[in-house]
Amino acid sequence: MTLTISAFYAGFVGLLLLALSGLVVKNRLRARVSLGSGDDPQLERAVRAQANLAEYAPLTLLLMAILEVGGAAPWLLHGCGSIFLVSRVLHATGMANPGLPLQGRRAGIVGTWLVLLVLSLAAIVMAAGGIRSG
């Protein structure tokens, strides 16, 4: 079995991580800080946006891959992958732009948690024998 759905979203998450990493480097150069945030609020926001993605993406993508191998419905995987990706973009945008209303960042947090909850419960149900492949 190939992990085409999980690979699709992992690719986009990888591109988002590269973009956020670029913002960190840009802000490090601007603030002339090589380690940490140097008490620079803009750099701190960029670092946290990048780190927050790096904290949530591995488990989310792993759960998607486990479910895909286990035969989960493509609509579930695409739904969770799409919501996760949009949520992470909303969160990162809200983190990088403190002048924006907090609704985008909040929606990103809620969407991320919802996806993690759904994928976690689906993995438990699948492991308990509630979802059959094939």
Side-chain angles (χ1 to χ4, degrees):
M1 157 157 276
T2 59
L3 297 172
T4 54
I5 298 171
S6 300
F8 180 77
Y9 292 101
F12 279 109
V13 169
L15 293 175
L16 180 57
L17 184 59
L18 282 171
L20 294 175
S21 297
L23 288 176
V24 170
V25 170
K26 176 184 167 186
N27 279 288
R28 285 195 186 285
L29 292 171
R30 178 195 50 75
R32 298 174 189 223
V33 174
S34 64
L35 185 64
S37 62
D39 293 326
D40 184 273
Q42 193 173 348
L43 175 55
E44 178 66 23
R45 285 190 300 275
V47 167
R48 285 308 310 148
Q50 177 202 39
N52 197 271
L53 176 64
E55 291 162 3
Y56 281 101
L59 181 58
T60 301
L61 293 170
L62 177 62
L63 286 167
M64 285 183 65
I66 289 168
L67 289 167
E68 188 169 3
V69 167
W75 65 263
L76 174 68
L77 298 170
H78 280 297
C80 286
S82 297
I83 291 168
F84 181 72
L85 190 58
V86 169
S87 295
R88 294 289 79 205
V89 169
L90 286 170
H91 182 269
T93 303
M95 289 288 290
N97 300 293
L100 292 179
L102 288 177
Q103 288 84 354
R105 185 173 166 202
R106 286 181 186 146
I109 293 166
V110 170
T112 297
W113 288 358
L114 178 64
V115 166
L116 192 53
L117 175 66
V118 168
L119 292 174
S120 296
L121 292 175
I124 291 167
V125 170
M126 183 184 72
I131 298 176
R132 302 277 182 231
S133 320

